Amino acid sequence: MSSTRFSWANLAIALSLCLGSITYGYDFSIISTTIGQANWYAYFGLTSDATRASLYKYSNQIIGTVFGIFSAGAIFGALFVGWLCDRYGRRPALMVAAIINIIGGALQCGSVHIGMFIAARFITGFSGSMFVTLVPIYIAEVAPPATRGLLVGQHGAFFLIGYTLAAWVGVGSFFSPNAAFNWRFPLSLQVVWPLLQLCFVKWLPESPRWLVSHGRKEEAWDILARLHHDPKDPAQGFAQREFAQITQQIALDQSTYGDVGYLDLFTRPHFRKRTLIGALVMWASQANGAIVIYSNIVTLVAGLGFNATQSLLLSAGWITLACVGNFTNAYFLDRLGRVRSMMIGMSGCVAFTIVEAAVVANYGGSSNKAALAAGVAMLFGFIVFYGGFVDTTIYVYGSEIFPTHIRAKGMGWCLSIFFLSTLPFLESSATGFATIGWKYYLLFIILPSINVVLIKLFCPETKGLSLEEINGVFNDKVAMQLTHIDGEDTMTTSIPGLDGSSGTDVREKNDANIQVV
């Protein structure tokens, strides 16, 4: 069987779940074009005119709060969904996230006071992070090992579709003569994607790994058999082997560790290593300046001397390129590997940030067209490396490194660190660029340079292994090998029966990788 093929059921589930990814991407990115709309400033009594010093300072503080409050809500949402989807399942958690997100989007669109707008941003941040935490877990738990990077990578790629949609909707709304339409219509579209998610969620199967962990083996087997159905293999050999691996590994983990809470992520050595590595990866992904550029791309381009229309168009093009980069990242991730991809991407970002800082320092706001064009080119070069190597990888890696019984809590922790890491940068970015200018970029040269070294030293590679086999990378016991079988040319695997009996034996060829079609 081909090592790169997967079932249409796997792909359909991944793409359906990615409506949640679009929801998060749109929720986060729409504020970038909103703060580029003069009518939004006027409605809430703010200004982008630096000559009005006191009001300008206040406006920058409000903008920092609008950015930061989304991340603050996201921290709590990530931790909440880690508990929720372990307790009630992946599907119910997805429905709760969609409902909360609809409420937050509607409140933003209808805001009549800046305080109401800020509160609504907190709600959408809370629910958006539920999606960004849950979707990669969900996809990882239904994806075959050989193409897990590609399928989980669609999460990162599709929330860039959300970014791209937000950017172009913002551009289109800018030209409307209706002052309220300029900024309220783009915000209103936040409710569309979670509504679509609610329409699809009834069709989605529950995670078979979650079902096994809650004693519902019959349901888990039915789902695995459908997901890995191969008409050329009536015995469903791969599905049986995966089912055996999942049931044996979960039984081993539960007997070894028992019930696991958030505190166990820090108090048990094997979990603590994963927890710290996950935190490092998420921190590193934000400490290279990507979140600041994403959020301020319109104003950064404007600061290089371009007018409002040019700035909106260039920023939309920039985000579109990021979207293409994320799909490319997902496509090559199972070949390139997780760790190597992150190292290449972050190193490339540092190189382009160095040049960008030099351009802004010497030519920012000048009339030197060649220099200004170079400044924009550096921003585009930055996103080629970030989108092409990092942005998708971090979600794949975070969803892989934790065993099933703590995966949701572990991923929730990782994403809470992700959003916590954004807070100091988002809160300080508007003021930082306004006060120290190009020197603010030095943060995103020094920090990622250090992080690349740390990732090389401490992050193990996970590509090609099943989720259960990744336990071995962290020195935990692996109950059964599936993708890397050692020993004789053939092996006999005992498939436990659903009723707890010893089941049947499956004799198979000892291939380096067992794949699914």
Side-chain angles (χ1 to χ4, degrees):
M1 291 180 282
S2 170
S3 62
T4 59
R5 294 180 62 189
F6 46 82
S7 71
W8 285 109
N10 295 134
L11 182 61
I13 291 169
L15 296 182
S16 298
L17 286 167
C18 283
L19 283 166
S21 310
I22 293 174
T23 300
Y24 164 76
Y26 194 94
D27 286 353
F28 176 81
S29 188
I30 193 59
I31 196 63
S32 298
T33 54
T34 300
I35 65 169
Q37 304 281 8
N39 290 318
W40 180 81
Y41 285 89
Y43 185 86
F44 290 116
L46 305 173
T47 185
S48 58
D49 183 0
T51 63
R52 303 169 66 185
S54 59
L55 183 56
Y56 179 66
K57 181 180 179 180
Y58 169 75
S59 299
N60 280 337
Q61 291 172 344
I62 289 295
I63 292 170
T65 301
V66 167
F67 282 135
I69 201 69
F70 184 93
S71 293
I75 293 168
F76 293 101
L79 295 173
F80 172 69
V81 78
W83 167 82
L84 183 68
C85 69
D86 266 352
R87 179 70 181 272
Y88 297 105
R90 292 11 177 177
R91 287 178 70 247
L94 200 69
M95 295 174 66
V96 171
I99 292 168
I100 297 174
N101 199 270
I102 291 168
I103 295 170
L107 289 174
Q108 270 187 72
C109 173
S111 290
V112 296
H113 185 273
I114 192 62
M116 180 179 177
F117 190 86
I118 289 171
R121 286 292 291 172
F122 180 91
I123 294 170
T124 51
F126 184 95
S127 56
S129 76
M130 292 179 68
F131 283 120
V132 82
T133 303
L134 178 57
V135 169
I137 293 172
Y138 209 149
I139 299 176
E141 292 184 344
V142 299
T147 53
R148 190 174 58 247
L150 173 64
L151 291 174
V152 180
Q154 299 309 302
H155 167 62
F158 269 80
F159 77 63
L160 259 294
I161 287 182
Y163 282 22
T164 305
L165 287 169
W168 288 109
V169 167
V171 170
S173 300
F174 176 78
F175 296 102
S176 170
N178 187 312
F181 185 91
N182 285 158
W183 62 274
R184 289 196 189 273
F185 174 72
L187 292 170
S188 72
L189 294 185
Q190 288 178 104
V191 306
V192 172
W193 326 115
L195 278 171
L196 290 173
Q197 184 72 86
L198 284 176
C199 293
F200 278 91
V201 74
K202 290 185 67 175
W203 172 83
L204 294 171
E206 184 54 85
S207 162
R209 287 175 167 86
W210 183 86
L211 290 169
V212 170
S213 69
H214 286 73
R216 295 160 63 177
K217 294 182 180 180
E218 294 86 352
E219 295 173 66
W221 166 248
D222 288 342
I223 291 169
L224 279 175
R226 294 199 306 271
L227 288 177
H228 300 325
H229 176 69
D230 179 7
K232 298 179 182 179
D233 179 20
Q236 299 304 319
F238 183 88
Q240 290 198 60
R241 293 192 295 276
E242 186 177 37
F243 179 73
Q245 186 186 57
I246 292 169
T247 53
Q248 290 177 25
Q249 189 66 49
I250 289 176
L252 175 61
D253 290 341
Q254 289 177 340
S255 65
T256 303
Y257 299 111
D259 292 333
V260 177
Y262 271 113
L263 286 179
D264 292 300
L265 296 178
F266 306 94
T267 59
R268 300 190 181 190
H270 290 188
F271 298 162
R272 184 166 59 241
K273 181 178 180 181
R274 293 173 168 94
T275 301
L276 294 176
I277 286 173
L280 169 62
V281 168
M282 294 301 170
W283 153 256
S285 72
Q286 298 311 296
N288 70 347
I291 195 71
V292 171
I293 298 176
Y294 272 141
S295 303
N296 295 277
I297 184 63
V298 176
T299 53
L300 289 177
V301 173
L304 289 169
F306 294 88
N307 63 37
T309 302
Q310 292 169 330
S311 298
L312 283 170
L313 288 170
L314 284 169
S315 66
W318 186 88
I319 292 172
T320 302
L321 181 61
C323 182
V324 174
N326 275 36
F327 276 105
T328 304
N329 188 185
Y331 182 78
F332 287 105
L333 192 52
D334 287 309
R335 307 176 192 183
L336 189 59
R338 285 50 160 163
V339 175
R340 185 185 300 174
S341 183
M342 287 188 285
M343 291 177 63
I344 292 171
M346 291 179 190
S347 299
C349 288
V350 169
F352 280 98
T353 303
I354 290 171
V355 181
E356 177 69 13
V359 170
V360 174
N362 291 284
Y363 303 102
S366 75
S367 58
N368 188 320
K369 293 184 178 180
L372 298 178
V376 173
M378 292 307 103
L379 294 176
F380 276 80
F382 177 98
I383 200 57
V384 166
F385 274 87
Y386 185 77
F389 295 93
V390 180
D391 206 9
T392 290
T393 306
I394 60 173
Y395 301 103
V396 176
Y397 196 70
S399 69
E400 293 176 332
I401 61 176
F402 295 96
T404 295
H405 62 297
I406 62 167
R407 181 167 297 115
K409 292 183 179 69
M411 190 62 170
W413 156 258
C414 286
L415 267 297
S416 68
I417 293 298
F418 175 95
F419 290 109
L420 183 62
S421 300
T422 68
L423 275 176
F425 302 122
L426 290 177
E427 286 282 1
S428 66
S429 60
T431 302
F433 283 121
T435 55
I436 62 174
W438 69 270
K439 294 178 183 178
Y440 191 70
Y441 282 113
L442 294 178
L443 276 175
F444 310 122
I445 296 171
I446 297 169
L447 292 177
S449 298
I450 296 170
N451 290 331
V452 167
V453 177
L454 295 177
I455 287 171
K456 172 65 175 177
L457 292 176
F458 297 110
C459 294
E461 184 54 67
T462 57
K463 75 167 183 174
L465 299 172
S466 72
L467 291 177
E468 287 68 32
E469 288 164 353
I470 292 173
N471 281 0
V473 174
F474 293 93
N475 299 319
D476 280 340
K477 293 180 180 179
V478 178
M480 170 186 166
Q481 294 289 334
L482 180 64
T483 62
H484 295 80
I485 304 168
D486 299 320
E488 302 298 328
D489 287 340
T490 59
M491 66 172 281
T492 301
T493 301
S494 180
I495 307 299
L498 297 176
D499 58 359
S501 63
S502 60
T504 59
D505 288 343
V506 177
R507 190 168 178 80
E508 59 191 284
K509 195 75 174 171
N510 181 358
D511 296 323
N513 288 283
I514 300 172
Q515 294 88 19
V516 63
V517 294

